[in-house]
Amino acid sequence: MTNVTSLKTSSEPTTSPGEFSPAERQKFDGWFDARFEQKMREREAARTPSMAIIATKGTIDWAYPPFILASTAAALGYDVSIFFTFYGLKLLKKDLDLEVTPLGNPAMPMKMPIGPDWFRQIDWPIPNFVKSNLPGFERMATALMKRTFRQKGVASIEELRELSVEAGVKLYACQMTVDAFGFDKPDFISDIAGWVGAASFLPMAQKSDITLFI
């Protein structure tokens, strides 16, 4: 009697029970790859992007970038955290008395917010020796910048900070800076999410999609 297995040709693939044939394996791999790509797209679409900002400056011109970027990112759906350290910690005080210093800042234009249009368009290159020796020059430059921003409809730092808080931006104060400069916590706004150190904030920055140092 002829054995059944001897009737198979050598070209026919043999599979053990529970194994895929080459055709079945190819079909399964195609289905798996498509399913995996779909799940990854769904996961990416459902994930909340994040941004971490380290704010280190306390002048009015350097106060705008962190709050503008933070409030904009929050409006776009980002999970945003700002770590205020060294002079940047001043941006969390209840009473903001920020100035701008043109000294050593050659990129800063000195344009007048008063007078006819042609006069306002003039850049006034003021030598450093004038900036450093003219009493009250920084106060004057600060007043001119604030007036220019108001005329252009730019929000104040206080307004941007409030907008950031309302949008869910988390504000963190550097505890080391508080201790080093002898600040009093009651002088700061109540919206601070935490008084932390670098060791606490760095893991947040590590997991963020975007990290900025300002």
Side-chain angles (χ1 to χ4, degrees):
M1 184 174 179
T2 305
N3 193 320
V4 176
T5 58
S6 65
L7 297 177
K8 291 185 177 181
T9 63
S10 59
S11 61
E12 290 179 336
T14 59
T15 58
S16 301
E19 291 185 356
F20 289 141
S21 67
E24 290 173 330
R25 170 61 66 181
Q26 183 178 10
K27 183 178 180 180
F28 174 78
D29 288 345
W31 173 86
F32 181 84
D33 290 342
R35 185 67 171 169
F36 180 78
E37 291 179 4
Q38 178 186 354
K39 288 297 183 182
M40 290 301 293
R41 287 194 297 268
E42 292 175 356
R43 179 181 178 184
E44 183 64 22
R47 188 181 65 84
T48 301
S50 57
M51 172 187 286
I53 301 175
I54 302 174
T56 64
K57 306 294 193 302
T59 56
I60 189 172
D61 50 337
W62 281 98
Y64 274 96
F67 287 122
I68 290 176
L69 291 169
S71 58
T72 302
L76 293 175
Y78 280 65
D79 182 12
V80 186
S81 301
I82 311 179
F83 181 57
F84 296 86
T85 184
F86 278 81
Y87 308 118
L89 192 60
K90 292 179 60 179
L91 304 184
L92 295 181
K93 284 198 167 186
K94 293 178 181 177
D95 299 322
L96 295 178
D97 186 21
L98 308 179
E99 295 186 356
V100 61
T101 173
L103 184 64
N105 188 4
M108 178 183 172
M110 285 296 296
K111 292 187 177 182
M112 299 300 171
I114 56 176
D117 290 341
W118 65 266
F119 183 77
R120 297 187 185 190
Q121 297 305 315
I122 299 176
D123 287 336
W124 299 91
I126 301 177
N128 282 335
F129 77 89
V130 174
K131 300 176 185 178
S132 59
N133 291 298
L134 184 63
F137 185 82
E138 288 190 355
R139 281 287 182 180
M140 180 186 70
T142 300
L144 291 174
M145 175 172 282
K146 288 182 177 180
R147 182 167 180 175
T148 298
F149 284 176
R150 284 196 302 269
Q151 291 178 347
K152 298 297 183 179
V154 179
S156 66
I157 299 300
E158 291 87 348
E159 292 170 335
L160 286 173
R161 186 174 66 183
E162 183 179 354
L163 180 63
S164 297
V165 172
E166 291 177 353
V169 176
K170 292 179 284 295
L171 310 178
Y172 292 96
C174 177
Q175 183 63 53
M176 186 211 69
T177 304
V178 174
D179 297 337
F181 289 97
F183 288 126
D184 294 323
K185 289 185 178 180
D187 293 336
F188 293 88
I189 59 176
S190 60
D191 301 299
I192 295 176
W195 303 81
V196 302
S200 298
F201 186 78
L202 286 178
M204 303 181 201
Q206 182 187 25
K207 298 175 184 178
S208 297
D209 299 290
I210 303 173
T211 303
L212 303 174
F213 181 86
I214 301 176

